[in-house]
Amino acid sequence: MVKKFTAAALVMLLAVVLAFPTVLTASAAYAPQNVKQTEGTKYGFTITWDAIAGSYTNYIVERQNADGTWAKETTTSVAKAYISNVSAGKTYQVRVGVRPNYYSNSYSYSDPITVVTAPEAVENIALYNATTKSFSIKWKASAGATSYRIFQEVNGAKVNLGTSKTNKFTVKNVKNTKKFEGYVYVAPRRSCSTFTAEGAAYSSLSGYNVKLVPKKLTTPKTSIASYTVKVGCKEVLFAEGYQFQVTNAKGKAKNINRTTSYFYLSDLTQGQFYKVRARAYMKIGNKTKFGAWSATNYIARHPKMSGTARARYINATWSKVKGATSYAVYASTKRDSGYKKVGTTKGSKFTITKVGKSSVKPSKTYYFYVEADKKVGKKTYRGIDNTIMYVFTPSR
């Protein structure tokens, strides 16, 4: 009798034990699954989950308080909820519960998930640095932002430029041959491990206000302009001014700033070569950003000259020019045209016996000038001036 009772008891006990896992599994499966955030603005967030089939389903969405307790936000009969009682740029913990019927007060809850709201829009986007191929912007940081998305908008089309974890960003690989188009916007973001909420982008930087450091200038060209020498380069984009550097034979340099890409140099001293180079510049706030220096040009006025004439030749002499490697002598029978090179020398005198193909003749007036030349590497730089000497050859 005892043996049969014990067996029956064991059978009943086994049935109970086996039933418990089934009950637990069914309860766990009944809790909402796949809860996730699908939208987030500064005004609220949306979460969704897998719907639970049944003739009656009632969900509750709760948010965790600072002290760890949970408070109801809303109830719904669909697998989606929008929560609006929030602040911008914040992180919250939420969970979703479900009860099996209308009369039950027992909820089965999902695992808590982290949700985020979008930060307030950024303000005061401004240019603060630049190179020849990039520009850097900064803005007032938005509270709660963990990153920012930077994009360009041209005629309604948006192009992502990148993201930044700080309130600064550098736009790289910008062409220096044309103005930057459209507008640059910055959208603040707040992220958690599963979702990023992006705020609105209202403030912008106009492409008109985007500036790059001007590119390297061409070698300055020089020409005679009345009693002065005109020194100039080709204009370049983004230049707000040009700086010319003139260095004399002793190495003393003088910088000359102009708003134009040229200037007139009137204080060149005879007897020496000067070096001339240039660079363009732009300004960002109170900072001046210079482009690279151009290649160097060399310039000298013609040396002081004198000449004595004989019936069939002319002795031309001149003072030496510091830095000159040779001198070229030009002569003509006309004051303003027809000059031919009649010879070169490293010294400071030359005898002119022919002008062009014709020999020097008595009773004629001849004009000549001496050009100081400077060879640097494989290139020769020539002095310029409008100084011309003339002599009259005697009859015999």
Side-chain angles (χ1 to χ4, degrees), residues 2-18:
V2 174
K3 185 176 182 180
K4 289 182 179 180
F5 177 79
T6 303
L10 287 173
V11 171
M12 185 177 292
L13 179 61
L14 180 61
V16 172
V17 171
L18 292 174

Side-chain angles (χ1 to χ4, degrees), residues 171-251:
V171 182
K172 300 178 180 179
N173 300 319
V174 184
K175 292 184 178 180
N176 204 303
T177 55
K178 64 178 182 179
K179 292 291 289 182
F180 194 78
E181 295 181 301
Y183 296 83
V184 178
Y185 289 89
V186 178
R189 291 175 156 186
R190 186 171 181 84
S191 298
C192 61
S193 60
T194 57
F195 190 81
T196 295
E198 183 172 287
Y202 297 129
S203 181
S204 66
L205 177 68
S206 170
Y208 179 81
N209 294 319
V210 170
K211 299 183 287 186
L212 302 181
V213 175
K215 64 181 183 180
K216 184 177 180 178
L217 296 175
T218 57
T219 306
K221 291 185 176 181
T222 57
S223 60
I224 293 297
S226 186
Y227 294 101
T228 64
V229 176
K230 182 179 180 181
V231 181
C233 300
K234 290 183 179 180
E235 292 184 350
V236 292
L237 188 62
F238 301 113
E240 297 178 47
Y242 298 84
Q243 184 177 81
F244 298 88
Q245 186 179 78
V246 182
T247 305
N248 64 17
K250 294 182 178 180

Side-chain angles (χ1 to χ4, degrees), residues 36-210:
K36 60 185 178 182
Q37 182 176 4
T38 56
E39 294 178 352
T41 68
K42 71 175 185 177
Y43 302 107
F45 58 86
T46 299
I47 59 172
T48 63
W49 55 91
D50 293 343
I52 298 175
S55 58
Y56 174 80
T57 308
N58 182 243
Y59 304 101
I60 186 171
V61 179
E62 296 181 345
R63 185 172 69 183
Q64 191 174 45
N65 297 318
D67 61 2
T69 60
W70 293 88
K72 183 181 78 171
E73 288 294 333
T74 187
T75 59
T76 177
S77 60
V78 297
K80 182 178 182 179
Y82 175 73
I83 308 302
S84 60
N85 183 26
V86 297
S87 298
K90 296 293 184 180
T91 298
Y92 300 98
Q93 295 290 313
V94 297
R95 67 182 183 178
V96 181
V98 64
R99 57 181 177 171
N101 57 65
Y102 180 80
Y103 300 101
S104 175
N105 290 321
S106 178
Y107 284 91
S108 296
Y109 288 98
S110 68
D111 291 332
I113 68 165
T114 302
V115 297
V116 289
T117 57
E120 295 283 358
V122 304
E123 299 177 350
N124 305 328
I125 303 174
L127 187 74
Y128 79 92
N129 201 6
T131 69
T132 55
K133 295 182 180 179
S134 69
F135 64 90
S136 300
I137 58 174
K138 62 181 179 180
W139 53 89
K140 184 179 179 181
S142 178
T146 56
S147 66
Y148 302 87
R149 181 173 70 93
I150 299 88
F151 63 92
Q152 176 188 11
E153 183 174 303
V154 182
N155 298 325
K158 296 180 180 180
V159 178
N160 283 329
L161 298 174
T163 59
S164 174
K165 292 184 178 180
T166 69
N167 63 325
K168 294 181 180 181
F169 183 75
T170 297
V171 182
K172 300 178 180 179
N173 300 319
V174 184
K175 292 184 178 180
N176 204 303
T177 55
K178 64 178 182 179
K179 292 291 289 182
F180 194 78
E181 295 181 301
Y183 296 83
V184 178
Y185 289 89
V186 178
R189 291 175 156 186
R190 186 171 181 84
S191 298
C192 61
S193 60
T194 57
F195 190 81
T196 295
E198 183 172 287
Y202 297 129
S203 181
S204 66
L205 177 68
S206 170
Y208 179 81
N209 294 319
V210 170

Side-chain angles (χ1 to χ4, degrees), residues 290-312:
F290 289 95
W293 283 109
S294 69
T296 299
N297 196 357
Y298 293 82
I299 180 173
R301 291 182 59 188
H302 292 164
K304 294 179 180 180
M305 299 172 290
S306 61
T308 56
R310 297 293 181 264
R312 300 190 180 278

